[in-house]
C-alpha cells in the first residue's frame, strides 16, 4: 500500500513514519538483490516495483518538506512520486 500513504490529517501525519519507510526500502532492496544473486527463478519484477515505490515516497516526502520549508503554496502529490518511482 505504498501508493496510498498520503496525508492522513490536516497536520500532515503520514501512515508510515519516515524511518520505517527507509528501513522497508533497505530490507526490500537487500532481499531483492539477494534473491537475484542466488540463481533461482524467483522473479525480480514485483520486488523492484516495491523498492521503487518506497524510494518514490522517500523522494516525495523530501520534496514536500523542502516546499513547506520555503512557505510555498505548491501542492506535492506523494502518490505520483510513488508511481513514478515504481515505474523507474
Amino acid at each position: 500500500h505504498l501508493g496510498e500513504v498520503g496525508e492522513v490529517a490536516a497536520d500532515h501525519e503520514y501512515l508510515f513514519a519516515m524511518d520505517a519507510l527507509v528501513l522497508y526500502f533497505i530490507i526490500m532492496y537487500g532481499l531483492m538483490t539477494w534473491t537475484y544473486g542466488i540463481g533461482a527463478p524467483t522473479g525480480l519484477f514485483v520486488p523492484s516495483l516495491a523498492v521503487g515505490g518506497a524510494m518514490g515516497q522517500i523522494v516525495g516526502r523530501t520534496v514536500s518538506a523542502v516546499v513547506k520549508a520555503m512557505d510555498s503554496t505548491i501542492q506535492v502529490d506523494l502518490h505520483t512520486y510513488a508511481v513514478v518511482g515504481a515505474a523507474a
Side-chain angles (χ1 to χ4, degrees), residues 29-39:
Y29 185 80
L31 289 174
M32 182 182 71
T33 55
W34 179 63
T35 57
Y36 182 71
I38 62 173

Side-chain angles (χ1 to χ4, degrees), residues 19-47:
D19 56 350
L21 193 59
V22 170
L23 182 64
Y24 175 79
F25 171 77
I26 292 170
I27 290 172
M28 284 301 293
Y29 185 80
L31 289 174
M32 182 182 71
T33 55
W34 179 63
T35 57
Y36 182 71
I38 62 173
T42 55
L44 192 59
F45 180 69
V46 174

Side-chain angles (χ1 to χ4, degrees), residues 2-76:
L2 288 176
E4 301 172 2
V5 295
E7 298 169 1
V8 176
D11 56 351
H12 304 293
E13 293 180 17
Y14 297 104
L15 190 59
F16 298 108
M18 184 64 128
D19 56 350
L21 193 59
V22 170
L23 182 64
Y24 175 79
F25 171 77
I26 292 170
I27 290 172
M28 284 301 293
Y29 185 80
L31 289 174
M32 182 182 71
T33 55
W34 179 63
T35 57
Y36 182 71
I38 62 173
T42 55
L44 192 59
F45 180 69
V46 174
S48 67
L49 289 176
V51 168
M55 190 62 192
Q57 279 290 318
I58 292 169
V59 170
R61 287 191 189 180
T62 304
V63 169
S64 178
V66 169
V67 167
K68 288 176 189 169
M70 295 180 355
D71 281 336
S72 178
T73 59
I74 298 172
Q75 295 292 328
V76 177

